[in-house]
Amino acid sequence: MSNMINSLSNMRLLDDLARKETFIHRIHPLIKLLTTVVYLTVVVSFERYEIIGLLPFIFYPILIFAFAELPVAPILKMILLIEPFIIGIGILNPLFDHSKVLFGGIVISKGWVTFLSILIKCSLTVTASILLIATTGMDRFAIALRMLKIPKIFVLQLLLTYRYISVLIEEVSRMIRAYSLRAPGQKGLKWSAWGSFAGQILLRTFERAERVYQAMNLRGFTGEYYTGDIAKLSFKDLAYFAAWSLFFIIARIYNIPILIGSLFTGVI
């Protein structure tokens, strides 16, 4: 149950952070979305053995943390929750790629280089995605999607899933609490109870969804999710997008850490 409560608090934390008034928060949501897309595209475009060339892209999340005044520890915990899945994706590479390479003066398997590259790429992309929601909010993010002509049915599905996943978590936590009160001293659910427990969740989901839909219809819902007006693009927004895109492209074309190292060592 503690995991569910933590997940619910994480979602509410992102909503609270999105309400802040900083320079980053005031950037147009469409610009922040496009900047994140460019960032993700450039990061994943690196070959599987690239590590040093990815280092300059760490500056993007660091500066977003600083300018948006976001707390590092809670967001870092969210990222760490996803790290086991990332490790599971890349950990098999050392078993299949046994060729050797000289890395930092040490001869290691290319599989470990690939694993480290995957770990860095996934960590950067996950961090950028979380920062996008933490500085924009799901409602403004949906506005940006609609401005990109994403079909409203997909945007509506995304919004409702995000908005009511917390309702599902609360419902499940209540059921687990009720079960634990009827089975004192027992840790977790018995295997024999999982079938009926899942069935009850499904029935409660249908009932709650029907009530939510009826409430939306009573409030004039016609298939479009209105989140209010959004300001027009300004020169500041365009300059923000152009500056970051230029940095990403330069960092992709040129290996900045190697160039800096060459300037200090005199070796080109």
Side-chain angles (χ1 to χ4, degrees), residues 46-47 49-57 249-263:
F46 280 89
E47 61 178 359
Y49 297 126
E50 185 60 61
I51 294 178
I52 298 177
L54 289 168
L55 298 182
F57 292 89
I249 294 173
I250 292 176
R252 179 63 181 90
I253 297 175
Y254 302 101
N255 197 317
I256 296 178
I258 292 180
L259 291 177
I260 295 176
S262 300
L263 292 176

Side-chain angles (χ1 to χ4, degrees), residues 15 20 28 57 72 77 139 168 217 234 243 256:
D15 289 334
K20 300 182 71 172
H28 197 283
F57 292 89
V72 177
K77 289 180 181 179
D139 289 341
L168 176 61
N217 284 334
S234 64
I256 296 178

Side-chain angles (χ1 to χ4, degrees), residues 20-217:
K20 300 182 71 172
E21 291 290 337
T22 65
F23 165 72
I24 300 297
H25 287 78
R26 289 191 291 268
I27 295 294
H28 197 283
L30 178 61
I31 293 298
K32 285 187 283 190
L33 174 59
L34 293 178
T35 303
T36 304
V37 170
V38 174
Y39 179 80
L40 300 182
T41 303
V42 173
V43 168
V44 300
S45 68
F46 280 89
E47 61 178 359
R48 57 179 179 170
Y49 297 126
E50 185 60 61
I51 294 178
I52 298 177
L54 289 168
L55 298 182
F57 292 89
I58 299 177
F59 287 103
Y60 175 70
I62 290 177
L63 292 178
I64 296 299
F65 269 111
F67 290 131
E69 301 176 2
L70 299 177
V72 177
I75 296 180
L76 185 60
K77 289 180 181 179
M78 299 180 197
I79 300 171
L80 291 178
L81 290 175
I82 307 174
E83 290 297 324
F85 299 98
I86 300 175
I87 294 174
I89 293 173
I91 196 62
L92 295 178
N93 283 276
L95 301 178
F96 295 102
D97 192 349
H98 299 285
S99 55
K100 304 297 182 180
V101 64
L102 184 64
F103 184 78
I106 304 175
V107 178
I108 62 175
S109 169
K110 282 188 176 181
W112 287 109
V113 177
T114 305
F115 168 68
L116 185 57
S117 177
I118 292 175
L119 184 63
I120 294 175
K121 288 179 184 178
C122 292
S123 299
L124 290 176
T125 53
V126 169
T127 304
S129 301
I130 293 176
L131 292 179
L132 173 63
I133 302 301
T135 58
T136 307
M138 187 56 69
D139 289 341
R140 291 167 62 86
F141 177 72
I143 293 175
L145 292 177
R146 291 296 289 132
M147 292 180 69
L148 292 176
K149 304 303 180 181
I150 302 297
K152 65 180 181 181
I153 184 63
F154 296 116
V155 178
L156 179 63
Q157 187 67 38
L158 175 65
L159 277 173
L160 293 182
T161 301
Y162 180 83
R163 188 62 58 198
Y164 291 104
I165 192 70
S166 59
V167 177
L168 176 61
I169 294 175
E170 291 174 351
E171 194 70 32
V172 173
S173 64
R174 280 197 295 268
M175 291 180 61
I176 294 178
R177 189 181 302 111
Y179 180 88
S180 62
L181 291 175
R182 289 169 174 80
Q186 179 180 313
K187 293 184 178 180
L189 299 175
K190 288 185 177 180
W191 288 105
S192 58
W194 270 103
S196 59
F197 190 84
Q200 285 294 325
I201 292 177
L202 182 62
L203 293 176
R204 286 170 178 261
T205 301
F206 283 127
E207 293 175 359
R208 192 62 174 266
E210 185 65 27
R211 292 199 299 270
V212 169
Y213 180 69
Q214 291 174 357
M216 292 172 66
N217 284 334

